[in-house]
Amino acid sequence: EAGVAQSPRYKIIEKRQSVAFWCNPISGHATLYWYQQILGQGPKLLIQFQNNGVVDDSQLPKDRFSAERLKGVDSTLKIQPAKLEDSAVYLCASSRDREPHEQYFGPGTRLTVT
Amino acid sequence: EDKVVQSPLSLVVHEGDTVTLNCSYEVTNFRSLLWYKQEKKAPTFLFMLTSSGIEKKSGRLSSILDKKELFSILNITATQTGDSAVYLCAVEARTSYGKLTFGQGTILTVHP
């Protein structure tokens, strides 16, 4: 089965610019996650979708970050405006909504904000 | 707030050595603990542990969970250079289905 797809793989922007990341989960996976991984740290959950509804967005900085999952499949994560501290790898993961529900990760997007 | 602490933060060994990575956690209403391997890309799933004392094994890797003492270990025997990676431990609570809290990871370097 095809894995989680993400694009772009790398992005360099200046602070105050905007950027968007795209994720296509594994076919049939109802749950989709966006994580932020800062260098030297473990991934931190930003937002979790179940189909096209938000389950948890408690750690999403909503003043600058937004995410959507239209039609319950693909998802986009947007940052506007970007700050230097947003430099990180943004990982998308998906899982089934039944056991076993381990998460499978995409290759990530490495964002550098200058 | 759920918390996961991994040790050591980094480890350097030679091929053929056996290593043990540690993961301790604090989580309200524990559901599962997961181990991932992360090379220069996405974390790849290794194990999911839900029951105490039952060892999960895959080739040279094995893991066990102690729910009483709130920790897990990941063992790698006969290490190879391809085992060099960051090993991540994460926990899931029953009250937040699917939401994982990760530790900071252990960087394992295996020299030939």
Side-chain angles (χ1 to χ4, degrees):
Chain A
E1 100 192 319
V4 177
Q6 288 188 249
S7 68
R9 294 295 309 277
Y10 304 91
K11 190 76 178 176
I12 301 174
I13 61 172
E14 294 181 353
K15 59 184 179 185
R16 291 188 289 273
Q17 287 187 321
S18 62
V19 63
F21 313 127
W22 172 82
C23 173
N24 181 245
I26 293 171
S27 177
H29 281 195
T31 308
L32 184 148
Y33 313 80
W34 282 103
Y35 289 88
Q36 179 192 60
Q37 187 174 23
I38 292 171
L39 189 64
Q41 299 180 18
K44 181 184 87 171
L45 180 70
L46 293 175
I47 188 166
Q48 176 184 349
F49 292 96
Q50 177 100 9
N51 296 308
N52 59 349
V54 176
V55 174
D56 187 330
D57 63 357
S58 57
Q59 299 188 95
L60 187 74
K62 298 181 187 63
D63 57 333
R64 298 184 300 107
F65 286 64
S66 64
E68 60 182 10
R69 191 182 184 198
L70 300 175
K71 301 180 183 177
V73 182
D74 293 9
S75 177
T76 56
L77 175 70
K78 295 179 183 176
I79 308 174
Q80 181 179 12
K83 292 185 175 181
L84 295 176
E85 59 260 37
D86 298 332
S87 294
V89 175
Y90 290 85
L91 294 163
C92 179
S94 68
S95 67
R96 297 180 185 88
D97 60 355
R98 63 185 187 281
E99 303 288 345
H101 60 273
E102 62 267 21
Q103 296 177 27
Y104 293 88
F105 285 81
T109 297
R110 182 175 297 277
L111 174 68
T112 302
V113 182
T114 63
Chain B
E1 187 178 318
D2 301 340
K3 188 176 175 184
V4 178
V5 177
Q6 294 184 243
S7 63
L9 291 181
S10 65
L11 194 52
V12 180
V13 300
H14 287 94
E15 272 192 320
D17 289 349
T18 293
V19 297
T20 298
L21 309 183
N22 303 294
C23 174
S24 63
Y25 63 89
E26 296 172 19
V27 60
T28 304
N29 209 358
F30 174 88
R31 182 187 182 94
S32 64
L33 183 145
L34 296 89
W35 285 96
Y36 285 85
K37 176 182 181 182
Q38 186 173 31
E39 296 169 271
K40 290 183 181 177
K41 44 187 179 179
T44 52
F45 173 76
L46 295 175
F47 300 111
M48 175 186 274
L49 303 154
T50 56
S51 301
S52 252
I54 297 176
E55 185 181 50
K56 292 255 179 130
K57 224 173 146 54
S58 177
R60 296 177 295 102
L61 277 68
S62 64
S63 184
I64 198 159
L65 175 67
D66 186 328
K67 288 167 74 173
K68 183 179 175 187
E69 300 298 330
L70 306 182
F71 78 90
S72 173
I73 60 172
L74 175 69
N75 277 321
I76 308 174
T77 59
T79 52
Q80 302 171 357
T81 55
D83 295 327
S84 296
V86 176
Y87 290 84
L88 294 165
C89 174
V91 294
E92 180 193 10
R94 288 191 180 278
T95 50
S96 52
Y97 185 88
K99 176 181 176 180
L100 296 180
T101 300
F102 282 86
Q104 72 274 53
T106 292
I107 303 170
L108 175 64
T109 304
V110 182
H111 287 311

